[in-house]
Amino acid sequence: MSKNICGRFAPTPSGRMHLGNVLCALLAWLSVRQQGGRMVLRIEDLDAMRCPRQYADLLEEDILWLGIDWDEGGSKGGPRGPYYQSECAPLYEKALQKLREKGLLYPCFCSRAQLHAASAPHLSDGQVLYNGHCRSLSAEEAAQLSKIRRPADRLRVPDRTITFVDGCQGPYTESLPLECGDFLVRRSDGVFAYQLAVVADDARMGVTEVVRGKDLLSSTARQIYLFELLGFPPPHYRHIPLLLAPDGRRLSKRDHDLSLEVLRQSLPDARPLIGLLAFLCGQLPRPEPISPRELLPLFCWDNVPKENIRIPAQWYQTPPQNWNISALRNR
């Protein structure tokens, strides 16, 4: 095993995984195992109310059912824990303090309604470009507002452009002030923001490769900037296509799209499911039941498409119990 290569699967246990989550776990595992690297399972349960521990336990059962293993993390533990973000607040506080000492943080008292005002420009990921309302508050003004409302912590960004080459999507460039804006690192309720948490965790765990959905591509510039501020090299990123329902809608846990709960009840094992995903992402010429381990020598990043993948209606609508070997071979 190469100690220098480390990948991770970092799901949010707010419900059972859907097929898009499975694809991300599969490609992350194939990539790191093909390189002889270390695989980490990190549970991103920052919002503990939405992510009870039983969902995290079910998630581990689902991953093992798929034939995907990991070297450290989750309930297995390891030398770079904690691996549950809900247990990492002291570590995130240290990272926050480093940013504060650099003079890069300021308190933000804006309400959700103010942030989502009709005049506020929206980013490509649906978030709002912050207008800098609280950026120039004096210490006296901030102290007065603190008596009324608990502030969030916002990071001041410079007039700078971040450029990197994504391993799946290719070259990507983003202007921090024009396409990102000053962003939150801790919410007003005290919960640390995803951007800070994921950077602190990837740095601490020695992650060198991040495989995740292309919906997170636009957050990468912010994370690269945070890695730089905290003094760590960023990992190599690969943003994979999203799986879409036949009507073009993104799969979601909320809509119970092809969830592992239904799939596990209907399929005798995970091989037909792995074969279907391997076919959809260009690793097999036809959907053929296969295990992740059997797929490993065939895996090639060059064959993974850049564009989102729409699941054919005949598979989306066919009861999973009919996804047997003969049926798959005939499609």
Side-chain angles (χ1 to χ4, degrees):
M1 179 183 295
S2 173
K3 295 182 179 179
N4 296 325
I5 302 297
C6 178
R8 47 86 157 170
F9 179 50
T12 299
S14 57
R16 297 297 283 273
M17 290 193 297
H18 58 61
L19 209 55
N21 304 135
V22 176
L23 177 61
C24 185
L26 176 63
L27 294 183
W29 183 90
L30 288 169
S31 185
V32 74
R33 290 302 188 217
Q34 196 175 72
Q35 299 174 78
R38 174 169 52 93
M39 187 69 182
V40 172
L41 173 64
R42 184 169 73 231
I43 306 299
E44 298 199 335
D45 57 347
L46 276 172
D47 191 338
M49 294 295 292
R50 292 179 53 246
C51 304
R53 186 56 61 92
Q54 59 261 37
Y55 279 158
D57 295 339
L58 281 172
L59 188 145
E60 289 195 16
E61 292 180 17
D62 288 340
I63 295 173
L64 291 173
W65 179 80
L66 291 166
I68 294 173
D69 63 353
W70 62 95
D71 301 299
E72 59 185 83
S75 62
K76 181 180 290 188
R80 300 166 185 85
Y83 296 94
Y84 295 84
Q85 288 188 333
S86 59
E87 300 174 356
C88 295
L91 300 174
Y92 302 151
E93 183 61 51
K94 288 182 180 179
L96 196 72
Q97 184 59 29
K98 286 185 178 181
L99 301 177
R100 185 175 289 111
E101 290 170 356
K102 292 176 180 288
L104 297 174
L105 301 185
Y106 62 89
C108 178
F109 300 90
C110 295
S111 66
R112 182 179 295 270
Q114 289 171 315
L115 292 173
H116 290 80
S119 59
H122 284 68
L123 305 176
S124 59
D125 60 2
Q127 298 186 47
V128 175
L129 182 65
Y130 185 61
N131 62 10
H133 180 266
C134 294
R135 191 176 195 182
S136 59
L137 289 176
S138 67
E140 293 76 14
E141 289 172 323
Q144 287 299 316
L145 288 170
S146 295
K147 297 177 182 179
I148 304 171
R149 178 180 176 84
R150 180 176 178 177
D153 288 304
R154 197 173 285 275
L155 179 70
R156 192 187 311 267
V157 301
D159 184 5
R160 180 175 163 191
T161 296
I162 301 288
T163 298
F164 64 96
V165 178
D166 186 80
C168 190
Q169 301 299 322
Y172 185 85
T173 298
E174 183 171 297
S175 166
L176 289 178
L178 298 180
E179 301 176 80
C180 168
D182 296 348
F183 58 92
L184 292 181
V185 286
R186 184 163 57 183
R187 300 183 337 203
S188 60
D189 62 2
V191 175
F192 289 92
Y194 166 79
Q195 308 295 354
L196 179 69
V198 72
V199 168
D201 288 337
D202 283 344
R204 173 169 52 90
M205 296 174 186
V207 172
T208 61
E209 179 180 87
V210 171
V211 177
R212 59 190 184 188
K214 64 183 294 186
D215 55 325
L216 291 172
L217 179 61
S218 62
S219 70
T220 308
R222 279 167 275 183
Q223 292 169 23
I224 289 175
Y225 181 53
L226 279 171
F227 272 110
E228 179 183 302
L229 293 176
L230 295 174
F232 298 100
H236 180 56
Y237 291 94
R238 297 183 187 271
H239 288 86
I240 64 173
L242 304 179
L243 288 187
L244 308 179
D247 60 4
R249 176 178 50 82
R250 282 175 52 182
L251 301 185
S252 72
K253 294 176 184 176
R254 181 181 57 196
D255 295 331
H256 306 289
D257 284 308
L258 296 177
S259 74
L260 262 292
E261 181 178 11
V262 173
L263 295 172
R264 286 189 62 179
Q265 291 173 354
S266 306
L267 292 171
D269 58 60
R271 296 176 76 251
L273 180 59
I274 298 299
L276 173 60
L277 291 174
F279 167 71
L280 290 175
C281 66
Q283 305 304 307
L284 291 177
R286 62 184 182 277
E288 189 87 24
I290 193 171
S291 70
R293 190 70 59 179
E294 293 167 333
L295 184 59
L296 194 54
L298 306 176
F299 176 66
C300 178
W301 272 113
D302 291 342
N303 295 334
V304 177
K306 295 182 179 182
E307 299 304 318
N308 292 338
I309 302 168
R310 189 171 300 199
I311 301 173
Q314 65 265 33
W315 285 324
Y316 190 82
Q317 297 167 357
T318 299
Q321 59 265 30
N322 293 339
W323 291 4
N324 55 44
I325 294 175
S326 60
L328 282 171
R329 284 177 175 165
N330 291 334
R331 292 191 187 278

